[in-house]
Amino acid sequence: MVKRLSSPVRRQGWRVVAVICVSIAILGSGAYYFISTQTGKNENGGAKDLTQPASGPETSRLPEEPESGIILEETRITVPEPEGTLGWSFGAKKIEYDTDRNSASLQAVEGMKFIDGRPELRVWAGAVKLDFGTGRVDFEGHVTVKSDKGPSFSAAAARWDPDMKSFRAYGNVQYENGASKISGDELEIDLELEIARVKGNARFRSPAF
């Protein structure tokens, strides 16, 4: 019977090969894990960047102050008096701002005038021009102003003077206070519509006369 003896040198060589293979496997696994982790981070970072808003200026944002030529349709505007108290509130079919002149033009207007914080006067006009610098208000296209206490006037045009706290009306002026009526070419009247002065072709009618 013949016995085969293994050489110690050969057995040691197999051990070396086995150790090398195991080391390569471990290094390969570590490299794959590192590459996979970095790829995941990059992909997540890219997705995160997609959800973040652009740092540049937003072109769709409206300016903080109205620019010249901006038109608002079917809206309201409230205008304070120069001293800061509540002055006018207007509703209009169209409002156009002109910041170069610090003014606004309104069309198809209905509004109210506040006295001591209360709406005391009602106004209707075809058009209104507002001067924000002076507080002056110009009414055009036939204007009617009526007090909650009863007196009223109408005219082709009128102007509110915030310094004098009075109206000045022009063209086919009609003033009514109770049963009394006054007509003429021009009218100067106080804020409460109680003290009126009519000029030009003035005519007065009253049941008492």
Side-chain angles (χ1 to χ4, degrees), residues 8-9 23 28 45 57 62-63 74 87 126 132 165 185 201:
V9 177
S23 300
L62 292 175
E74 296 184 359
F132 299 120
K165 302 293 183 183
D185 296 333
N201 299 316

Side-chain angles (χ1 to χ4, degrees), residues 7-21:
S7 172
V9 177
R10 180 180 298 177
R11 185 175 298 174
Q12 185 177 359
W14 281 106
R15 290 179 180 178
V16 172
V17 172
V19 170
I20 293 174
C21 291

Side-chain angles (χ1 to χ4, degrees), residues 153-171:
F153 76 85
S154 63
R159 169 175 289 184
W160 163 252
D161 188 333
D163 296 326
M164 301 298 296
K165 302 293 183 183
S166 64
F167 293 92
R168 176 170 291 183
Y170 310 89

Side-chain angles (χ1 to χ4, degrees), residues 1-205:
M1 182 175 67
V2 179
K3 293 183 179 180
R4 293 183 181 179
L5 300 176
S6 298
S7 172
V9 177
R10 180 180 298 177
R11 185 175 298 174
Q12 185 177 359
W14 281 106
R15 290 179 180 178
V16 172
V17 172
V19 170
I20 293 174
C21 291
V22 171
S23 300
I24 293 175
I26 293 174
L27 291 175
S29 299
Y32 175 79
Y33 175 79
F34 177 79
I35 294 172
S36 300
T37 303
Q38 294 299 320
T39 304
K41 289 183 178 180
N42 292 336
E43 290 176 353
N44 293 334
K48 184 176 180 181
D49 292 339
L50 291 176
T51 59
Q52 292 180 347
S55 59
E58 299 179 3
T59 57
S60 60
R61 180 177 297 175
L62 292 175
E64 295 181 357
E65 296 183 357
E67 296 179 354
S68 296
I70 287 183
I71 298 175
L72 304 178
E73 296 188 3
E74 296 184 359
T75 185
R76 297 195 67 88
I77 182 172
T78 300
V79 183
E81 296 290 356
E83 62 270 18
T85 60
L86 188 59
W88 292 93
S89 178
F90 294 107
K93 184 177 181 180
K94 181 182 293 186
I95 300 177
E96 182 174 358
Y97 291 93
D98 187 344
T99 54
D100 294 334
R101 298 181 179 180
N102 196 21
S103 63
S105 299
L106 291 67
Q107 296 182 10
V109 183
E110 57 83 19
M112 59 186 69
K113 178 73 177 74
F114 291 85
I115 302 176
D116 296 330
R118 298 186 302 272
E120 298 282 350
L121 303 180
R122 309 287 173 172
V123 60
W124 297 265
V128 171
K129 293 182 179 180
L130 305 175
D131 189 322
F132 299 120
T134 64
R136 188 177 65 240
V137 183
D138 290 312
F139 303 90
E140 301 174 351
H142 190 76
V143 55
T144 299
V145 180
K146 182 177 178 59
S147 171
D148 287 347
K149 299 177 181 179
S152 65
F153 76 85
S154 63
R159 169 175 289 184
W160 163 252
D161 188 333
D163 296 326
M164 301 298 296
K165 302 293 183 183
S166 64
F167 293 92
R168 176 170 291 183
Y170 310 89
N172 192 25
V173 172
Q174 303 287 331
Y175 172 72
E176 296 185 14
N177 191 347
S180 300
K181 298 181 180 181
I182 305 175
S183 61
D185 296 333
E186 297 183 16
L187 170 69
E188 294 181 3
I189 192 167
D190 68 333
L191 177 59
E192 287 77 17
L193 306 188
E194 294 179 352
I195 303 175
R197 180 183 299 174
V198 179
K199 300 178 181 180
N201 299 316
R203 293 181 295 277
F204 176 77
R205 290 180 294 174

